[in-house]
Amino acid sequence: MTVRLVKCNSLDLNLFQFDYDLTFAVFFLNADKTVYARYGTRTGHDADKDVALEGLAATMNEVLKIHAAYPKNKSSLAGKQPKKSKYKVPEDLPKLRRFKSKLDYKGAVAKSCIHCHQVRDAQRFEYRKTGKQMPDKLLFPYPKSETVGLKFDKKSKTTLAAVLDGSPAHDAKLRRGDGVVSLGDTTVASEADVHWILHQLDNQKRIKIVVDRDGEQISTTLNLPAGWRKQADITWRPTSWELRRMATGGLSLKPISQADRKRLGIADDKMALRAVHVGRYGDHARAMRAGIRKGDIIIAFDGKTNLLTENMINEYAVQQKKPGQRVEIKYLRGKRERTASIRLQ
Amino acid sequence: MRISSVVLPNKLITLCLILFFSSSSFGQTRDEKVRLDWQKLNADGTWFYDDLDAGIKAAKKNKKPLMVVLRCIP
């Protein structure tokens, strides 16, 4: 049975928990709403780069096997089940209360739609509004499998196309061609299942992984280094747009080249981030109104010069600073140093 | 699309995948894309379109698994 949902309005948040930065996500369910598997992965700006028809077909075939074995296999699916949500549907979230439960097909239908990324935007907004430190899980959601060294063949169900050097997967002696069977005692039928399980981890330092190697099942452990979740780049995510509003008043930042560092005499361990986009409207324009322009190079944020990426600045701003606080931003225009002051949101 | 056997026929899978990977044509406004998606996919009987409850009911009745696709159109 196939269901197509094209909006998040009235979406059951106690069931449909997934990476809300996706534009294409699949849930395979039993009629009792037990989650068999998820499909749909995105790790960059190109929304379709990480999915393939062959991979989806492989997951679909696995789902049919899971369904045939259900409910005897229920315990192996426990780790895939959604958690209790504070809100039943997205329009219950304070930031989304203006939306209705149905789309306005007769009027401005696209504007009546709650887009998936708006769910996470609203969750972050709620946290930010309270002034509480934003949790890592909300700031760095659904870490891609490469953060633990697993690179999947997107045309397969869960076969490894590569194991990244120096990673937890490499240390666990996993190999290219291994098929991931389970992670943390939960069977996996797709890379999205792996992302779900990684997302749910809190402070665990290790997780069991079972792989199929030439028909033999091998059990080993991924040892997770401190801060592994934060290694994921989140700048591609649509939800980073709102994060930039909160953290820098609308700046999109990229590290400058080595040649530019050399030319400007900035050491490798010092901040040097070029403003590649500066928000121009509303609350996304606070940095612009403070004087920062596209092309300026940020060299200090709130006195910190060791925040080397946009991720690190955003993390610092929403975890260490509160809305309403002022921060000073030092930047270079040409070779001249300037200072701007913005009030955080 | 009814999932009815452990090994799905290739043609069936291909048709199904093309239908839900496609997010309408180029050169249309966002509103037009959303309406066209509804017109095309709601009418052909393949999908329970924006109706999870009906999908669950049918899955229960037919003892089949459910595939729920969340797709951003615009």
Side-chain angles (χ1 to χ4, degrees):
Chain A
M1 301 300 151
T2 51
V3 176
R4 182 172 176 89
L5 302 179
V6 296
K7 58 175 174 44
C8 277
N9 311 50
S10 72
L11 191 74
D12 181 355
L13 292 179
N14 278 302
L15 176 59
F16 293 108
Q17 297 171 7
F18 62 104
D19 187 344
Y20 296 118
D21 283 297
L22 297 179
T23 57
F24 169 76
V26 182
F27 277 73
F28 293 101
L29 308 170
N30 182 278
D32 68 7
K33 296 188 179 178
T34 296
V35 176
Y36 286 155
R38 291 170 175 79
Y39 184 85
T41 302
R42 185 178 175 185
T43 61
H45 287 288
D46 183 349
D48 297 332
K49 181 176 71 72
D50 300 300
V51 289
L53 300 180
E54 296 90 337
L56 177 56
T59 296
M60 289 168 78
N61 276 317
E62 184 63 23
V63 164
L64 291 174
K65 291 177 192 169
I66 293 171
H67 182 67
Y70 189 81
K72 284 183 182 169
N73 56 357
K74 201 164 185 176
S75 63
S76 70
L77 303 171
K80 290 184 186 181
Q81 304 315 309
K83 314 297 173 194
K84 186 164 175 51
S85 169
K86 184 178 173 184
Y87 296 102
K88 286 182 181 171
V89 292
E91 53 270 36
D92 285 347
L93 278 149
K95 197 179 165 75
L96 300 175
R97 282 188 185 146
R98 68 182 186 279
F99 289 95
K100 295 183 175 163
S101 61
K102 292 186 175 174
L103 295 188
D104 178 14
Y105 278 99
K106 289 181 180 169
V109 65
K111 279 187 182 170
S112 70
C113 178
I114 298 177
H115 297 267
C116 297
H117 69 85
Q118 288 177 289
V119 177
R120 182 171 295 125
D121 284 341
Q123 290 169 335
R124 282 180 177 162
F125 178 80
E126 191 184 23
Y127 245 99
R128 191 68 180 146
K129 213 174 157 191
T130 63
K132 288 181 190 168
Q133 179 177 319
M134 199 177 287
D136 286 349
K137 205 180 271 190
L138 192 55
L139 190 54
F140 296 96
Y142 294 84
K144 60 181 178 179
S145 44
E146 279 96 330
T147 54
V148 295
L150 303 170
K151 185 161 179 57
F152 286 92
D153 172 4
K154 67 180 180 181
K155 293 186 175 180
S156 75
K157 184 182 69 173
T158 54
T159 301
L160 296 179
V163 173
L164 305 184
D165 283 347
S167 68
H170 184 259
D171 293 344
K173 300 192 180 346
L174 297 183
R175 295 182 200 161
R176 179 174 183 232
D178 288 347
V180 178
V181 175
S182 66
L183 190 61
D185 292 325
T186 297
T187 57
V188 295
S190 66
E191 186 176 1
D193 279 350
V194 172
H195 287 192
W196 164 263
I197 295 164
L198 291 176
H199 175 68
Q200 298 305 326
L201 298 178
D202 287 314
N203 298 313
Q204 288 98 316
K205 292 180 177 165
R206 59 190 65 85
I207 185 167
K208 183 180 154 191
I209 186 168
V210 176
V211 297
D212 181 291
R213 184 177 297 161
D214 302 325
E216 186 189 354
Q217 292 214 340
I218 295 166
S219 179
T220 182
T221 302
L222 296 178
N223 291 305
L224 306 169
W228 66 275
R229 180 188 284 271
K230 296 180 181 181
Q231 289 169 19
D233 176 23
I234 59 168
T235 56
W236 62 268
R237 292 177 174 274
T239 50
S240 288
W241 181 246
E242 266 297 284
L243 205 53
R244 291 179 185 118
R245 176 187 64 77
M246 297 172 188
T248 58
L251 294 177
S252 180
L253 303 166
K254 297 264 187 222
I256 65 169
S257 67
Q258 278 303 115
D260 281 343
R261 275 189 179 276
K262 200 173 172 186
R263 181 175 59 80
L264 294 164
I266 302 173
D268 287 351
D269 60 349
K270 297 294 180 192
M271 182 190 297
L273 297 166
R274 191 181 304 280
V276 293
H277 179 82
V278 181
R280 296 172 60 193
Y281 304 103
D283 288 335
H284 290 270
R286 290 204 179 182
M288 181 191 79
R289 288 197 291 269
I292 298 175
R293 293 186 202 161
K294 186 177 176 181
D296 289 344
I297 297 168
I298 311 300
I299 55 171
F301 184 86
D302 196 34
K304 307 277 178 193
T305 59
N306 61 346
L307 307 173
L308 303 180
T309 63
E310 182 190 301
N311 277 356
M312 292 168 86
I313 289 184
N314 292 347
E315 177 194 348
Y316 172 79
V318 300
Q319 290 197 326
Q320 306 297 324
K321 309 294 287 185
K322 294 187 174 180
Q325 286 186 307
R326 276 202 167 273
V327 295
E328 198 173 78
I329 299 176
K330 280 190 181 168
Y331 61 99
L332 296 174
R333 183 172 298 156
K335 287 195 173 179
R336 189 177 157 200
E337 190 175 308
R338 296 168 182 243
T339 302
S341 172
I342 63 162
R343 192 182 294 279
L344 296 182
Q345 302 172 69
Chain B
M1 196 68 63
R2 307 289 186 254
I3 298 171
S4 57
S5 63
V6 171
V7 181
L8 290 168
N10 287 339
K11 282 182 183 172
L12 203 63
I13 290 176
T14 306
L15 174 67
C16 181
L17 301 178
I18 287 169
L19 278 172
F20 62 70
F21 267 117
S22 65
S23 62
S24 304
S25 320
F26 294 102
Q28 295 165 324
T29 67
R30 298 174 82 189
D31 284 351
E32 284 167 346
K33 285 180 185 176
V34 177
R35 288 196 188 95
L36 187 67
D37 187 81
W38 185 84
Q39 282 164 12
K40 273 170 62 182
L41 299 183
N42 189 38
D44 75 356
T46 303
W47 301 87
F48 291 101
Y49 198 96
D50 265 338
D51 194 347
L52 178 66
D53 289 343
I56 287 174
K57 205 173 163 186
K60 204 172 277 179
K61 186 182 169 192
N62 295 289
K63 297 184 179 171
K64 301 292 183 191
L66 205 56
M67 181 170 82
V68 182
V69 175
L70 293 113
R71 184 57 156 147
C72 183
I73 299 168

